[in-house]
Amino acid sequence: MRVAIAGAGAVGRSIAGELLGNGHTVMLIEKDGRKVRTRSVPGAEWVQADACEVSSLEEAQLATCDVVVAATGDDKANLVVSLLAKTEFAVNRVVARVKDPRNEWLYTEAWGVDVAVSTPRVLAALVEEAVTVGDVVRLMSFRKGAANLVEITLAEDTPWVGRPLREVPLPRETVLTAILRGDRVITPTPDEPLEAGDELLFVTHADVEEQLKTVLAPESAMGPA
């Protein structure tokens, strides 16, 4: 992919390094000349320009990019970059960094954002994911809740342990994408039997998360039959 990253601070440079390491083409756009450090991210294309100006993005040929990452340290700038990328240059996917969690509600499709990433929310989700059994832990939202990536760790006394996936009555708009079992990543198949401690990763809608939790709840949480 060709990826444009607005903001070449520590976050932007780190993202660029990861993407380059995975074989993608990266363009870093930075307004502040003091942050244009070409040697810090070898292999990246550098553009010194204001990513909030249409003319600058035209010169950078933003329309040729598959993904734009708005990674500055300013929420206003990230929102403007996201909106321009989506509406003026028809970029397929826009990922935006939320600097201040109080502004997260703004990061919606209306501002051109496909995925908003808030570091405090991600860290909290990772903590919950590590210690929570039987509850739905939301790891990431797409299109502001139109779809969420959630995780549930199966309790030992869930009624589904030892039973194949095809028997689990998943709610509507819910897809099991992977099963994490020990150090294995398992592609779900209808005949795959579930085990206690399995971490199940779903893409689902927020409206049915409670229903998903109820379906996979341990017997002790379901009350008397």
Side-chain angles (χ1 to χ4, degrees), residues 97-152:
R97 172 194 181 192
V98 181
K99 175 64 174 177
D100 186 338
R102 292 173 297 181
N103 295 326
E104 188 174 2
W105 65 276
L106 288 166
Y107 285 74
T108 66
E109 277 190 290
W111 279 96
V113 178
D114 293 309
V115 180
V117 181
S118 170
T119 301
R121 181 180 293 276
V122 170
L123 290 174
L126 291 173
V127 170
E128 289 183 305
E129 184 269 337
V131 301
T132 305
V133 174
D135 281 334
V136 173
V137 177
R138 187 179 298 178
L139 301 178
M140 185 173 291
S141 294
F142 305 97
R143 298 189 180 275
K144 202 57 181 180
N148 297 318
L149 177 65
V150 303
E151 184 268 352
I152 296 180

Side-chain angles (χ1 to χ4, degrees), residues 62-218:
L62 200 73
T64 65
C65 294
D66 304 292
V67 181
V68 166
V69 181
T72 79
D74 185 323
D75 283 326
K76 295 188 294 295
N78 288 340
L79 289 169
V80 170
V81 170
S82 299
L83 185 63
L84 292 177
K86 186 66 69 173
T87 61
E88 298 294 327
F89 298 94
V91 175
N92 184 53
R93 190 162 185 78
V94 177
V95 179
R97 172 194 181 192
V98 181
K99 175 64 174 177
D100 186 338
R102 292 173 297 181
N103 295 326
E104 188 174 2
W105 65 276
L106 288 166
Y107 285 74
T108 66
E109 277 190 290
W111 279 96
V113 178
D114 293 309
V115 180
V117 181
S118 170
T119 301
R121 181 180 293 276
V122 170
L123 290 174
L126 291 173
V127 170
E128 289 183 305
E129 184 269 337
V131 301
T132 305
V133 174
D135 281 334
V136 173
V137 177
R138 187 179 298 178
L139 301 178
M140 185 173 291
S141 294
F142 305 97
R143 298 189 180 275
K144 202 57 181 180
N148 297 318
L149 177 65
V150 303
E151 184 268 352
I152 296 180
T153 300
L154 285 183
E156 291 186 2
D157 56 345
T158 182
W160 305 110
V161 168
R163 296 169 67 176
L165 282 171
R166 65 174 179 274
E167 296 183 8
V168 182
L170 294 179
R172 59 180 176 81
E173 299 183 50
T174 300
V175 177
L176 178 61
T177 59
I179 301 172
L180 307 183
R181 182 177 297 156
D183 58 358
R184 298 174 60 202
V185 178
I186 299 170
T187 301
T189 63
D191 295 325
E192 180 67 38
L194 295 172
E195 296 183 9
D198 279 353
E199 295 181 45
L200 309 181
L201 297 178
F202 295 92
V203 175
T204 187
H205 195 284
D207 290 347
V208 297
E209 285 181 12
E210 264 317 299
Q211 186 179 345
L212 179 62
K213 175 182 174 181
T214 300
V215 167
L216 297 172

Side-chain angles (χ1 to χ4, degrees), residues 22-74:
N22 290 334
H24 302 295
T25 301
V26 175
M27 173 173 60
L28 280 160
I29 306 174
E30 175 54 55
K31 179 180 179 180
D32 187 348
R34 295 170 298 179
K35 294 182 180 178
V36 177
R37 306 169 184 170
T38 55
R39 287 183 294 180
S40 65
V41 190
E45 176 186 348
W46 287 78
V47 176
Q48 184 177 348
D50 187 348
C52 293
E53 293 184 358
V54 174
S55 58
S56 297
L57 298 179
E58 286 177 341
E59 290 182 13
Q61 298 184 321
L62 200 73
T64 65
C65 294
D66 304 292
V67 181
V68 166
V69 181
T72 79
D74 185 323

